[in-house]
Amino acid sequence: MISLRKIKTYMYCPMQLYYQYNIHGDIENKNYETGRNIKEIRLEIQDIIQRNLKRTQNNMSVEDIEKELFKNVNYYINNRINEMHDPEKYDSNDLEKYKNDLSNETRYNIKILALKAKRYMNLTNKDGNKILEMLYPTSMYNYILRDPQLNISGLADKIEIINGKYFPIIFKSTTPPIKGVWENDSIELAFNSILIEEEFDTEVYVGFVEYVNLSERRPVIIDVNLRKNLFRILDQVRQIIINKEIPCVKYDENKCERCEFKSLCLEE
């Protein structure tokens, strides 16, 4: 079965996909494990913030709302990052960087949320527990999806349900382009979209990439051209994994110098 992880590896480097699945097997590398852990922590932080929002009152100032939303967040981040400690995988500098990045990112997002929450309170004269659904639509997180006919599977970061419509959301810590989203991100959204359509017997026309460092959500239209591009990539991934076809790639200093298969790949 073709997983979302295989698609993402292919989009990063087709040759890396070839080595992983034809020579070394389906390895669980450090970068993948770290990314998965950080993503889980972000979702859990969001859950804490939503619980904190319920305790806010419409007579509170923006600064007081912000303080309330941030309660227990740093404590949680420190504990969760410390649980990741493994001398063979991370040194102390790695862990401190993860803590600082998550704390700064969360504080920035909370500042924006506090402003939004106060605005909603002023308009509706309601407390935090009453405006929660306005700020956070009904959603499913880390939802496992499969399509037996296409033989694909994936884990959706978030699926928002608004008026019976399903909207896939993916979270990215990268800096977005000046306009739109990166191609890799649009392909990931398209992949999740066709899985959602199969799972819930619906149609998905729009998805969103949430660039968490900027607290910015950008839309992606799931149109025919994007779907065609995805199916082309799926075919190429199958050729590499099933038929062991060696892909043609160009040397990229930024990627190749950090790759675990560098010596093997450049030798060939």
Side-chain angles (χ1 to χ4, degrees):
M1 183 166 280
I2 303 298
S3 66
L4 177 58
R5 183 185 171 191
K6 293 181 176 73
I7 297 295
K8 291 165 75 172
T9 301
Y10 172 86
M11 293 295 292
Y12 182 78
C13 175
M15 203 67 185
Q16 190 175 87
L17 178 72
Y18 174 81
Y19 283 127
Q20 283 188 5
Y21 294 96
N22 289 318
I23 295 179
H24 286 262
D26 192 356
I27 62 174
E28 189 87 357
N29 59 49
K30 173 186 170 182
N31 291 337
Y32 174 78
E33 184 177 345
T34 301
R36 184 186 59 195
N37 287 334
I38 296 298
K39 188 171 289 187
E40 288 177 357
I41 293 172
R42 283 198 181 101
L43 293 176
E44 289 158 1
I45 289 172
Q46 191 171 89
D47 188 53
I48 294 172
I49 293 172
Q50 289 184 35
R51 292 200 301 268
N52 289 344
L53 179 61
K54 292 180 180 179
R55 296 196 296 268
T56 58
Q57 305 293 318
N58 64 16
N59 61 354
M60 295 172 69
S61 67
V62 173
E63 292 75 17
D64 289 337
I65 293 173
E66 186 179 325
K67 289 178 183 177
E68 189 66 36
L69 293 176
F70 206 72
K71 278 185 178 178
N72 300 318
V73 171
N74 263 343
Y75 176 79
Y76 173 79
I77 289 173
N78 287 330
N79 284 349
R80 283 290 275 113
I81 295 296
N82 288 338
E83 288 174 3
M84 291 169 55
H85 179 64
D86 183 340
E88 294 183 1
K89 295 181 179 178
Y90 311 104
D91 59 30
S92 57
N93 291 333
D94 287 334
L95 298 180
E96 284 304 311
K97 183 179 185 304
Y98 299 146
K99 288 179 185 178
N100 291 334
D101 287 349
L102 281 169
S103 181
N104 292 335
E105 167 192 307
T106 304
R107 189 174 294 278
Y108 174 75
N109 290 335
I110 283 177
K111 284 181 180 292
I112 295 175
L113 177 59
L115 290 168
K116 286 183 179 178
K118 184 60 179 175
R119 179 64 175 165
Y120 274 74
M121 289 174 181
N122 290 340
L123 290 172
T124 63
N125 198 32
K126 294 179 179 179
D127 295 329
N129 64 327
K130 298 296 185 181
I131 67 168
L132 184 63
E133 288 189 9
M134 299 170 70
L135 290 167
Y136 293 99
T138 301
S139 304
M140 296 178 286
Y141 294 91
N142 286 337
Y143 195 89
I144 298 174
L145 298 160
R146 294 185 180 86
D147 186 332
Q149 291 185 328
L150 292 176
N151 198 30
I152 59 175
S153 65
L155 186 69
D157 290 350
K158 181 180 181 181
I159 304 171
E160 286 186 358
I161 307 170
I162 303 175
N163 296 328
K165 302 293 184 181
Y166 292 75
F167 299 91
I169 316 292
I170 60 174
F171 300 101
K172 296 296 175 179
S173 57
T174 53
T175 302
I178 296 175
K179 293 182 179 180
V181 305
W182 298 117
E183 182 186 13
N184 295 14
D185 298 340
S186 64
I187 290 296
E188 184 175 343
L189 270 180
F191 188 88
N192 284 341
S193 296
I194 61 175
L195 285 168
I196 290 171
E197 289 175 338
E198 170 65 21
E199 178 80 9
F200 300 105
D201 190 23
T202 187
E203 293 182 325
V204 177
Y205 300 105
V206 181
F208 297 90
V209 182
E210 193 156 308
Y211 292 103
V212 294
N213 288 339
L214 299 178
S215 190
E216 182 178 352
R217 178 178 287 192
R218 297 191 178 184
V220 174
I221 305 300
I222 316 299
D223 60 13
V224 173
N225 290 331
L226 181 55
R227 292 169 189 263
K228 285 182 178 179
N229 194 19
L230 170 62
F231 286 119
R232 176 185 61 79
I233 290 170
L234 280 171
D235 288 340
Q236 292 172 349
V237 169
R238 290 190 177 99
Q239 291 295 322
I240 292 172
I241 294 175
I242 298 173
N243 298 337
K244 302 187 185 303
E245 184 177 294
I246 300 176
C248 294
V249 296
K250 293 182 179 180
Y251 176 78
D252 184 323
E253 183 176 355
N254 292 329
K255 294 180 180 179
C256 296
E257 290 301 316
R258 299 195 303 266
C259 181
E260 61 193 306
F261 303 112
K262 173 187 171 182
S263 58
L264 183 61
C265 185
L266 294 181
E267 192 175 286
E268 293 192 0

